[in-house]
Amino acid sequence: MLLKCFSNYSLECGTDEAGRGCLAGPVTAAAVILPPDFKNVLLNDSKQLSEKKRDLLKPIIEAEALTFGVAHIFQEDIDKINILNASILAMHKSIEKLNPTSEFIIVDGNRFKPYYDIPYKTIIKGDSKYLSIAAASVLAKTYRDDYMNAIHEEYPMYNWKQNKGYPTKEHREAIKVYGITKYHRKSFRLLPEQLKLEF
């Protein structure tokens, strides 16, 4: 059973990201403030949910949340500032979109940087403990998946529709055969024999 909130603030947002370990595409974060009476039996950490269930939940969360925000940080910026900073920046940008503004932030994981002077708490495996973080994880994952499905049309040989940019054997094989695209993160170890890649 997921918990409703961590703090005593009525406007507590949960935030989470998706795509941190990918070789291509953005890291995407979402922030969500749910109403106190929000209930949904399906909602859990998005990694535990099938794609079908995430797609069912997305419009429900969007319709029933008090407010939500989603933000992508793209590969060029990931390469400049590194993936940890990009993940936190994506969370900050998603929180920025909330209206009303959050009074307290709960973050999935153990790394975060202060967002203005709003108090926050990092929670390991928060997406399987708190409803608002679980909701944020669903939005982050579905929005990122939609983006990867769209760019799959441009470069179908990498099969991003299936692997979403994660380092699957198939994705690495495609990089070996076709090289890299503008969507690949050049700061990542794209192949075990990285030195053989020409940028």
Side-chain angles (χ1 to χ4, degrees):
M1 184 72 178
L2 299 184
L3 300 168
K4 291 212 166 166
C5 47
F6 174 86
S7 71
N8 294 320
Y9 291 89
S10 54
L11 294 174
E12 175 182 282
C13 84
T15 184
D16 196 8
E17 51 70 31
R20 205 166 143 174
C22 293
L23 304 181
V27 63
T28 304
V32 180
I33 300 177
L34 294 172
D37 58 350
F38 181 85
K39 281 191 189 80
N40 191 290
V41 291
L42 276 185
L43 186 56
N44 201 336
D45 162 21
S46 71
K47 291 184 283 297
Q48 311 292 323
L49 296 170
S50 65
E51 189 173 351
K52 191 178 173 189
K53 283 184 180 167
R54 288 194 299 268
D55 289 342
L56 275 173
L57 280 163
K58 180 186 174 197
I60 295 168
I61 294 164
E62 290 177 337
E64 295 190 22
L66 290 178
T67 178
F68 70 92
V70 182
H72 298 297
I73 301 295
F74 291 97
Q75 56 283 345
E76 303 87 351
D77 290 320
I78 293 170
D79 289 337
K80 279 184 206 146
I81 64 175
N82 82 39
I83 188 61
L84 174 64
N85 287 326
S87 300
I88 293 170
L89 180 60
M91 290 187 202
H92 282 191
K93 286 192 170 296
S94 66
I95 294 164
E96 204 174 276
K97 295 180 176 181
L98 299 177
N99 182 17
T101 306
S102 180
E103 299 168 327
F104 194 90
I105 302 163
I106 51 175
V107 184
D108 183 58
N110 62 353
R111 305 293 288 276
F112 195 65
K113 291 176 183 168
Y115 179 75
Y116 293 102
D117 55 358
I118 300 173
Y120 69 89
K121 172 73 178 167
T122 56
I123 301 164
I124 292 168
K125 296 207 166 103
D127 49 3
S128 57
K129 294 174 184 170
Y130 290 91
L131 277 171
S132 61
I133 301 180
S137 81
V138 167
L139 292 190
K141 178 82 176 114
T142 50
Y143 273 77
R144 189 180 184 283
D145 284 359
D146 289 347
Y147 179 85
M148 296 308 292
N149 291 343
I151 63 171
H152 166 87
E153 303 303 323
E154 207 177 331
Y155 293 100
M157 63 284 261
Y158 298 93
N159 200 13
W160 290 331
K161 204 172 177 64
Q162 189 67 43
N163 63 50
K164 306 298 190 254
Y166 281 92
T168 59
K169 188 171 182 240
E170 173 193 46
H171 190 183
R172 290 201 196 271
E173 287 297 324
I175 293 170
K176 227 180 262 184
V177 174
Y178 302 106
I180 62 165
T181 67
K182 61 188 177 185
Y183 298 111
H184 280 97
R185 302 174 184 177
K186 296 180 178 64
S187 56
F188 274 52
R189 195 161 177 252
L190 299 174
L191 287 176
E193 60 275 27
Q194 184 76 48
L195 295 175
K196 292 187 186 170
L197 266 186
E198 295 294 323
F199 289 138

